[in-house]
Amino acid sequence: MAAVSNPETARFLNEYLADLSVLYQKLRSFHWNVEGPAFFTLHAKTEEYYDEVAEEIDDVAERILMIGSRPVSTLKEYLERASLKEAPAKVYRAEEIVGHLVDDFSTLVEALHRGIAVAEKEGDPGTVDLLTGSLQRYEKELWMLKAFSA
């Protein structure tokens, strides 16, 4: 494989990939373990989220390959790089799930702003475009989650 054309962007993307991988499993846990009056709403919504995150994981990993690097791919690597924390298997109520998602999506929004700046600095418009699309999605979902819990 050729030298990485955008090393800082590749580093950021691997950190972001790690966060997405932790988020994916966390969403699965919420999907399996939600209980209470909002069960039907959050059971369906967390499934929608983890399906979207699974697609995003693939897009980010492929982008890492496109810029000449290798995506991290082990649970150990994800946990070492991720800023998001895992969610243990237990009963989750709506307020707790929404609180976790507001925190996690806020963390991702902050990270995406940094990642966009890094990709712009390294002259990588493809990555800027990918990350901007993710930023817009997470900002919208964050707004909706806050409205749900208001």
Side-chain angles (χ1 to χ4, degrees):
M1 181 167 267
V4 178
S5 56
N6 303 333
E8 292 302 312
T9 300
R11 185 182 53 70
F12 170 79
L13 287 173
N14 266 311
E15 290 169 1
Y16 185 59
L17 180 63
D19 275 334
L20 291 174
S21 297
V22 170
L23 178 62
Y24 174 81
Q25 195 55 45
K26 195 174 198 177
L27 289 164
R28 299 288 303 236
S29 180
F30 294 155
H31 175 76
W32 295 327
N33 294 299
V34 62
E35 291 184 9
F39 170 82
F40 287 108
T41 301
L42 286 176
H43 187 74
K45 191 63 175 174
T46 54
E47 182 174 9
E48 177 187 321
Y49 282 157
Y50 71 66
D51 286 343
E52 290 172 0
V53 170
E55 286 184 35
E56 187 178 9
I57 286 169
D58 194 52
D59 291 343
V60 170
E62 288 173 352
R63 186 68 194 167
I64 293 167
L65 289 164
M66 284 182 237
I67 64 172
S69 192
R70 289 272 167 211
V72 295
S73 60
T74 67
L75 297 175
K76 181 178 188 250
E77 290 171 309
Y78 296 151
L79 293 173
E80 288 172 350
R81 287 172 174 78
S83 57
L84 301 185
K85 302 300 177 209
E86 297 176 293
K90 67 178 196 97
V91 171
Y92 287 96
R93 298 291 196 186
E95 302 79 23
E96 190 175 7
I97 290 173
V98 171
H100 278 285
L101 293 177
V102 165
D103 290 346
D104 289 351
F105 288 7
S106 295
T107 297
L108 293 179
V109 164
E110 291 172 18
L112 286 161
H113 280 287
R114 287 191 313 274
I116 290 166
V118 167
E120 285 175 339
K121 186 181 97 182
E122 290 191 324
D124 185 348
T127 298
V128 169
D129 185 58
L130 174 72
L131 298 178
T132 300
S134 293
L135 175 64
Q136 291 170 339
R137 276 192 322 279
Y138 287 110
E139 285 176 335
K140 182 177 181 180
E141 292 303 327
L142 192 54
W143 164 69
M144 293 172 79
L145 287 165
K146 288 177 179 178
F148 179 81
S149 63

